[in-house]
Amino acid sequence: MNDRLEKQLAFSLEIDKEKNVFRQTHLSGHGRRENDAEHAWHMAIMAWLLREYANEDVDITKVMLMCLIHDIVEIDAGDTYAYDAENLKTQKAREDAAKERIFSLLPDDQRGELTALFDEFEAYETAEAKFAHAMDNLQPLLLNDSNDGGDWKEHGVTAETICGRHRKTRLGSETLYQVTDRIIRENVRKGNLREK
Amino acid sequence: MNDRLEKQLAFSLEIDKEKNVFRQTHLSGHGRRENDAEHAWHMAIMAWLLREYANEDVDITKVMLMCLIHDIVEIDAGDTYAYDAENLKTQKAREDAAKERIFSLLPDDQRGELTALFDEFEAYETAEAKFAHAMDNLQPLLLNDSNDGGDWKEHGVTAETICGRHRKTRLGSETLYQVTDRIIRENVRKGNLREK
């Protein structure tokens, strides 16, 4: 087996570890906590299904791949909860080191491609990155809404806090932002989410 | 919210259940059993990484989407172990009913698209279906190889049995079939897999 294929298979085996990185979100039906690989799978399918609602035309292959790989760095860096101010401070440094180690398992060209794609997602500037982020926000919102806001209750977050994050869904999709906004309001009305 | 978007979101929530369908394969590092969503995520990334080894040119977006959705029917039908002769007999009927129920949650056009894609995968005829199946075979092989063949030992399968399935990897990728063949031989040599 040549060196190139050996590297590709080593990377393929390494990313299996992403299935052990658990998030704060719980599966629907008041299930267990979700892991990063499942979350990425869910986002990629949703991106394909909902692509008609992207504000701008998107290269859907790129969006799907972005969704699939955006959390690979968490194999080393761990999951940082979106509303955990303390851990958010060190997140970038931890994720940069992980990106260097994990993507370096690949042949140079693919290392370059996946690193660039990860950076593009993080930079939140292109149409693809904005739409992928919309999925990153909407997917756990759907689960949490289906569970009567259990994750919000557990962490004591308020509508005010989560609105800051979800407002950015608007950058990727005005239509899906309207859905988000409606879901958040309904959860406030039902008492699942404190306003402030 | 319009009816179309409502259906798309209902389907998005429904497929969350795929994360509760567990397979016979164990995660690397002698981990827990893998679920269908994680398996599909892993296959889709591997398809992108290894696309250069497909025997024929493939539409990689189609392959990735095929990988992502190919097990959705198991939400109702359950996972059927590749070497479980009894359950394999009823697999098609169970999966057909599931396909009808689950994809019908979508708007008609998307229901048609995903049903056609699922059927194309099952039919094993197009270049995309053959390559997606190569991933469906190679991904658990990598995990099982990393675990000293634990899944084969548990089920008492032999090299002879699994070779039948893996020979079809050759239809999608001659190169990856060579890898498969080498991995199986090594596991026989190490005593992880009985020959007959």
Side-chain angles (χ1 to χ4, degrees):
Chain A
M1 187 160 55
N2 65 42
D3 183 53
R4 178 175 177 80
L5 180 47
E6 214 159 289
K7 286 180 171 173
Q8 290 164 321
L9 294 178
F11 177 84
S12 296
L13 186 59
E14 179 67 20
I15 64 172
D16 188 58
K17 295 177 183 165
E18 190 173 322
K19 301 165 191 168
N20 296 318
V21 181
F22 283 85
R23 297 164 46 81
Q24 296 303 324
T25 311
H26 289 75
L27 301 187
S28 61
H30 300 279
R32 62 165 169 82
R33 281 166 64 199
E34 182 183 45
N35 68 57
D36 275 353
E38 299 166 323
H39 161 63
W41 165 83
H42 209 163
M43 278 171 65
I45 298 181
M46 286 176 64
W48 184 85
L49 284 174
L50 302 173
R51 67 198 185 286
E52 67 197 82
Y53 306 110
N55 290 343
E56 301 167 69
D57 275 348
V58 290
D59 172 344
I60 193 61
T61 315
K62 194 173 174 179
V63 174
M64 287 167 67
L65 191 60
M66 214 178 242
C67 291
L68 293 172
I69 65 132
H70 82 289
D71 273 341
I72 283 180
V73 297
E74 297 190 358
I75 289 172
D76 291 351
D79 178 56
T80 307
Y81 187 51
Y83 309 110
D84 175 348
E86 204 47 49
N87 267 316
L88 285 167
K89 287 181 199 161
T90 59
Q91 185 181 15
K92 182 149 178 15
R94 283 181 286 119
E95 294 194 349
D96 280 352
K99 179 175 75 172
E100 175 63 25
R101 183 189 75 78
I102 300 166
F103 291 132
S104 293
L105 296 171
L106 285 167
D108 283 347
D109 59 325
Q110 291 192 326
R111 170 197 180 170
E113 280 182 282
L114 289 195
T115 302
L117 199 67
F118 175 82
D119 289 343
E120 183 177 331
F121 175 79
E122 290 292 304
Y124 223 133
E125 287 169 359
T126 61
E128 285 77 15
K130 290 176 195 164
F131 193 63
H133 273 287
M135 298 304 110
D136 201 18
N137 292 337
L138 182 60
Q139 186 268 345
L141 186 78
L142 284 187
L143 297 193
N144 201 11
D145 175 55
S146 80
N147 284 332
D148 309 316
D151 302 326
W152 296 319
K153 291 175 190 162
E154 188 179 333
H155 294 279
V157 292
T158 63
E160 200 174 33
T161 316
I162 67 168
C163 279
R165 178 185 175 95
H166 284 286
R167 248 193 301 274
K168 293 182 84 178
T169 289
R170 186 168 225 163
L171 301 173
S173 170
E174 185 60 45
T175 307
L176 298 178
Y177 174 69
Q178 299 305 331
V179 172
T180 295
D181 190 52
R182 210 199 57 182
I183 292 175
I184 292 174
R185 281 167 196 270
E186 276 180 11
N187 278 283
V188 169
R189 192 179 52 77
K190 288 180 193 162
N192 292 335
L193 188 55
R194 285 184 293 130
E195 225 156 327
K196 288 189 183 190
Chain B
M1 187 160 55
N2 65 42
D3 183 53
R4 177 174 178 82
L5 181 47
E6 214 158 289
K7 286 180 171 174
Q8 290 163 322
L9 294 178
F11 178 83
S12 296
L13 186 59
E14 178 67 20
I15 64 172
D16 188 58
K17 295 177 184 165
E18 190 173 321
K19 301 166 192 168
N20 296 318
V21 181
F22 283 85
R23 297 164 46 80
Q24 296 303 324
T25 310
H26 288 75
L27 301 188
S28 60
H30 301 279
R32 60 166 169 81
R33 281 166 63 200
E34 181 183 47
N35 68 57
D36 274 354
E38 300 167 321
H39 161 63
W41 165 83
H42 209 163
M43 278 171 64
I45 297 181
M46 286 176 64
W48 184 85
L49 283 174
L50 303 173
R51 68 198 186 285
E52 67 196 83
Y53 306 110
N55 290 343
E56 302 167 69
D57 275 348
V58 290
D59 172 344
I60 193 61
T61 314
K62 193 172 176 181
V63 175
M64 286 166 68
L65 191 60
M66 214 177 242
C67 291
L68 292 172
I69 65 131
H70 81 290
D71 273 342
I72 282 180
V73 296
E74 297 191 358
I75 288 172
D76 290 352
D79 178 57
T80 307
Y81 187 51
Y83 309 111
D84 175 348
E86 204 48 48
N87 266 314
L88 284 167
K89 286 181 199 160
T90 60
Q91 185 180 15
K92 182 149 178 15
R94 284 181 284 120
E95 295 193 349
D96 279 352
K99 179 174 74 172
E100 175 63 26
R101 183 190 74 77
I102 300 166
F103 291 132
S104 293
L105 296 171
L106 284 167
D108 283 347
D109 60 324
Q110 292 193 326
R111 170 196 181 173
E113 280 182 282
L114 289 194
T115 302
L117 199 67
F118 175 82
D119 289 343
E120 183 177 332
F121 176 79
E122 291 290 306
Y124 222 132
E125 287 168 359
T126 62
E128 284 78 15
K130 290 176 195 164
F131 193 62
H133 272 287
M135 298 304 110
D136 201 18
N137 291 338
L138 182 59
Q139 186 268 344
L141 186 78
L142 283 187
L143 297 193
N144 201 11
D145 175 55
S146 80
N147 285 332
D148 310 316
D151 301 327
W152 296 319
K153 291 176 190 164
E154 187 179 334
H155 293 280
V157 293
T158 63
E160 200 175 32
T161 317
I162 67 168
C163 279
R165 178 185 175 93
H166 285 285
R167 246 193 302 276
K168 293 181 85 176
T169 291
R170 185 168 226 162
L171 301 173
S173 170
E174 186 59 46
T175 307
L176 297 178
Y177 174 69
Q178 299 306 330
V179 172
T180 295
D181 190 51
R182 210 200 57 183
I183 292 175
I184 292 174
R185 280 168 197 269
E186 276 179 11
N187 278 283
V188 169
R189 192 180 50 77
K190 287 182 194 162
N192 293 334
L193 189 56
R194 285 184 294 129
E195 223 155 331
K196 288 189 184 191

